Amino acid sequence: MTELDPDREAPPLVYLGCHLELRQIAREFCRKRFEPEDDGEAHDLFPDLQARYPTARSSKDDPEKLECLNRDDIAFNVNRLRSEAAHKLAHADALEEYGELRAA
């Protein structure tokens, strides 16, 4: 950020976002270096699933391997995904309505 914004004119939230992104990059780098890649055999029955998900007791920044999730974690993610889907569907409906009113 010292090179991008030497006069520190950006809002503090921009710095926070950059810091979080840097942590994500570091986490991904460390994961690739210290955890071997999954060979995909464990997810042959459910190929659409991610390898990692957040847990009910942790933040989204620290996902857990799919195999390590308990029932509460799975329920947490199912509810989270369905909630996101409902919000996206409502957004799509509103955008569609806006487009129809605008075209009229």
Side-chain angles (χ1 to χ4, degrees):
M1 285 302 295
T2 56
E3 290 182 26
L4 295 175
D5 186 22
D7 298 329
R8 292 189 63 96
E9 295 175 356
L13 197 55
V14 172
Y15 286 88
L16 179 62
C18 291
H19 177 75
L20 290 175
E21 182 63 23
L22 180 63
R23 286 175 45 194
Q24 285 294 97
I25 292 169
R27 199 174 276 121
E28 182 179 342
F29 175 79
C30 290
R31 185 177 299 129
K32 287 180 181 176
R33 184 167 181 181
F34 296 107
E35 291 183 10
E37 283 292 319
D38 292 333
D39 56 2
E41 291 179 24
H43 307 296
D44 286 344
L45 293 176
F46 301 98
D48 294 335
L49 295 178
Q50 298 171 189
R52 294 178 172 273
Y53 287 90
T55 62
R57 62 198 174 283
S58 70
S59 69
K60 287 187 216 176
D61 293 338
D62 193 22
E64 191 71 45
K65 285 187 175 183
L66 180 61
E67 297 82 19
C68 298
L69 297 179
N70 61 32
R71 281 185 184 205
D72 291 338
D73 296 333
I74 292 172
F76 168 77
N77 280 287
V78 167
N79 290 334
R80 181 181 62 84
L81 291 167
R82 287 193 173 141
S83 175
E84 288 176 16
H87 284 94
K88 286 189 176 197
L89 185 58
H91 189 135
D93 290 343
L95 183 59
E96 183 178 49
E97 186 176 343
Y98 169 79
E100 289 172 357
L101 288 174
R102 187 173 169 188

